[in-house]
Amino acid sequence: MKKLTAILLALTMILSLASFAAAEGIETIDPGKLTISTSPDFPPFEYTDDNENIVGIEPDMMKLICEKIGLELVIDAMDFDSALLAAQQGKSDAVVSGVTVTEDRKLVYDFTNTYITITQGIVSKEANNVTMDTLKDQTIGVQRGTTGHIYAEDDFGEDSVVAYDTYTTVFQALMNDQVSCILMDDAVAKAYVAQNPGLVLNASTYEPENFAFGISKGNTALLDAVNKALDELIADGTVQKLIDQYMAE
Ligand code: ARG
């Protein structure tokens, strides 16, 4: 028994030394840890499961990335707008929240390579069946700070848009007819429509959007390490496997 304990202890030491070595040169807000901010209302990318764990394509990707670079993953859950702000203000090391790469955001984050492309979709009650052609006559529900929010306000004006902090409240608003449709990422809309009978999803004509992780600006060591790990996970098919697995659920 003593021997086993000694072996285990030695193993633990070797493992922690290995991870220390791997993470050397990478500075994070909490040394040895990678703190990400996220809004877990975004299945299949990030959501809370029945055991209150934050799971999904992106938390799984980050776990694997952290193993590769030798940092411990810490997930800070909050509203999307706050998750963006946290990484911008250096309160998290990165925003990992289905973030679309945009020119404006490139000014505030160092984006990693992208790993998936989505487009905006329009969710409404079956009876309304809102399409791109009738979008201009609607009260559009959005999550605050998202690309859907930005597009809706730019194209139809503030008065046509109601912004909420989480998709849970956006969908409640749709169910209660406080908004007549939702403009949001189609891959996520699909998950909500599957769970809520009586809703339909229509395609939009907005430009495709690429997802990436927004690293706190200037942390080049972290950016490079995450990119290297991410590229490996893309190249060996792990990312696609996670996408297929979570999209099927
Ligand atoms: N892709 C959109 C954006 O970047 C929406 C992201 C919302 N993410 C979330 N976890 N609720 O604005």
Side-chain angles (χ1 to χ4, degrees), residues 51-177:
N51 305 317
E52 298 292 307
N53 292 317
I54 296 171
V55 296
I57 298 167
E58 291 189 326
D60 276 17
M61 283 172 73
M62 286 316 300
K63 253 176 241 154
L64 296 171
I65 288 169
C66 280
E67 275 169 26
K68 280 180 184 283
I69 64 182
L71 291 170
E72 184 191 328
L73 180 63
V74 178
I75 302 179
D76 268 357
M78 57 193 88
D79 302 338
F80 182 65
D81 216 21
S82 311
L84 286 175
L85 203 64
Q88 187 179 337
Q89 295 180 333
K91 288 176 186 156
S92 71
D93 295 306
V95 52
V96 174
S97 202
V99 181
T100 301
V101 179
T102 68
E103 289 309 313
D104 282 346
R105 288 176 182 166
K106 275 187 194 168
L107 303 173
V108 250
Y109 312 101
D110 288 334
F111 278 107
T112 62
N113 301 330
T114 67
Y115 72 94
I116 197 169
T117 305
I118 59 94
T119 49
Q120 294 295 304
I122 305 157
V123 181
S124 59
K125 284 191 176 170
E126 244 155 33
N128 277 348
N129 197 28
V130 178
T131 64
M132 199 62 197
D133 291 334
T134 55
L135 190 55
K136 59 181 186 310
D137 308 313
Q138 312 298 326
T139 308
I140 307 170
V142 295
Q143 183 179 36
R144 186 168 285 113
T146 58
T147 42
H149 187 190
I150 298 164
Y151 300 155
E153 250 182 38
D154 282 357
D155 291 350
F156 308 107
E158 250 177 67
D159 292 348
S160 309
V161 181
V162 190
Y164 302 88
D165 284 328
T166 68
Y167 277 116
T168 317
T169 45
V170 184
F171 274 87
Q172 268 162 13
L174 179 66
M175 292 308 189
N176 299 333
D177 298 315

Side-chain angles (χ1 to χ4, degrees), residues 212-226:
F213 308 134
I215 308 284
S216 184
K217 194 124 193 114
N219 196 345
T220 317
L222 180 60
L223 176 70
D224 292 348
V226 172

Side-chain angles (χ1 to χ4, degrees), residues 180-228:
S180 55
C181 67
I182 301 171
L183 185 63
M184 65 183 291
D185 302 23
D186 59 359
V188 178
K190 247 177 233 161
Y192 276 97
V193 168
Q195 278 166 20
N196 293 281
L199 297 182
V200 277
L201 169 61
N202 284 305
S204 80
T205 51
Y206 287 102
E207 289 291 307
E209 300 176 34
N210 295 315
F211 283 6
F213 308 134
I215 308 284
S216 184
K217 194 124 193 114
N219 196 345
T220 317
L222 180 60
L223 176 70
D224 292 348
V226 172
N227 265 337
K228 184 169 173 278

